[in-house]
Amino acid sequence: MANSIVEYTLSNQTNESISIINYGARLTSWITQIDNEKCNIILSYPDLNDYLSDPYYLGAIAGPYANRISNAQIHIDNKVCILDQNEGSNQLHGGQKALSDLFWQLDYHQKNALSLSITLPDGYNGYPGKTTFNVLYSFTTSNNDQSKLDIKFTITSNKKTIAGPTSHPYFNLNGSNNSAYGHVLKLAGAHYTPINTHAIPSGLILPVANTPFDYTSARVLNTTDKLDHNFLIEQTLNLHTVKQHATLKSADEKLALNVLSNYPAIQVYTGHHLKNPFKAFDGICLEPQFCPDSPNNPHFPFSYITPQVPLQTHISYCLTNFKS
């Protein structure tokens, strides 16, 4: 397995490009053109080696299980699985040296597609099963010149286990030198999962109506919008259908990003904990996933992996450029 960073570039029919590295299978740039100027719409480090010590999961594949698991433990068939703790007594994004901080292997690289894989041994960070993760990035252009980044996961294991990785880019459609304040956000989720002071769900599923978490109508983001919350798109699991999750527009409305997935929920994080070399609220994460701590909340929509039933999930980021 490679132990040095390799960067791969994909391009589509409208001459946009994205770059991905083998470390954490991370998305490191998405270059589009606005008013005849090239613009990177995701946060990126100036040096690829900076990703080796990145604490923010910048552009990474987060997992094996994205988001938080309370007390870093789960039960599978009445057996307790003790997971790696990396956020107090809880686990975040799979623990230490998880998918985001390992080198993935190249399967193939084409002009508009890249396939990367990694296999974790049985018991890695406490997860049962020898488990293989494959991510396929595809970058295309639709008939109306909309750019589309598809991220497809296939996860297989030789034991019953849990997984639910996501993609973790920080989007800034206002341009890399501008704050993400002023973006317009609309979410398809009519429910959310309240959290405690450690960002662990209480177990409740509540409607967003008449709460500060109602983004079902488009809202301009400002300093009061400090989100690191999970919104439910559907309360019954249906991995067979890709659904609209969110729409994010730049402040000048020249760019619009639609987020779709077959996952049942989306985590929205407004980047307010970002620090040097970035600033708070420099980017917005829109992360389709299972609800945080789903294995410990049986009424959350969730699916285990078994040797007979792999997990296949799909995230699409669709960019429309109105004034290119």
Side-chain angles (χ1 to χ4, degrees), residues 247-276:
T247 300
L248 186 71
K249 291 184 178 180
S250 59
D252 59 13
E253 298 195 351
K254 292 183 179 181
L255 293 178
L257 184 77
N258 282 293
V259 184
L260 303 93
S261 180
N262 65 338
Y263 271 123
I266 184 170
Q267 185 84 5
V268 181
Y269 171 46
T270 49
H272 44 280
H273 297 302
L274 287 169
K275 295 180 182 177
N276 188 53

Side-chain angles (χ1 to χ4, degrees), residues 71-207:
N71 298 313
Q73 62 179 257
I74 58 174
H75 294 77
I76 297 180
D77 294 336
N78 298 318
K79 293 182 179 179
V80 179
C81 300
I82 306 299
L83 308 180
D84 180 55
Q85 297 178 354
N86 67 325
E87 190 180 64
S89 62
N90 305 312
Q91 183 182 91
L92 174 65
H93 294 327
Q96 303 176 75
K97 294 297 290 183
L99 297 182
S100 55
D101 295 306
L102 294 170
F103 286 95
W104 293 52
Q105 293 178 317
L106 174 67
D107 299 322
Y108 62 84
H109 176 210
Q110 301 171 348
K111 180 181 179 181
N112 66 348
L114 176 72
S115 177
L116 299 168
S117 296
I118 191 169
T119 298
L120 300 182
D122 185 14
Y124 190 89
N125 282 0
Y127 287 86
K130 179 182 178 181
T131 305
T132 297
F133 297 80
N134 170 264
V135 59
L136 173 61
Y137 286 95
S138 302
F139 194 46
T140 57
T141 305
S142 66
N143 292 334
N144 59 357
D145 288 340
Q146 181 185 68
S147 297
K148 185 180 182 184
L149 174 59
D150 285 302
I151 305 172
K152 295 183 178 180
F153 297 100
T154 301
I155 304 106
T156 59
S157 182
N158 64 353
K159 291 184 179 179
K160 186 176 181 179
T161 190
I162 70 164
T166 192
S167 180
H168 206 288
Y170 290 75
F171 289 100
N172 189 335
L173 308 182
N174 291 339
S176 55
N177 296 321
N178 299 306
S179 166
Y181 286 126
H183 276 81
V184 179
L185 176 66
K186 183 178 180 181
L187 299 175
H191 293 82
Y192 76 111
T193 51
I195 53 177
N196 64 20
T197 55
H198 300 290
I200 298 296
S202 66
L204 297 175
I205 297 175
L206 297 181

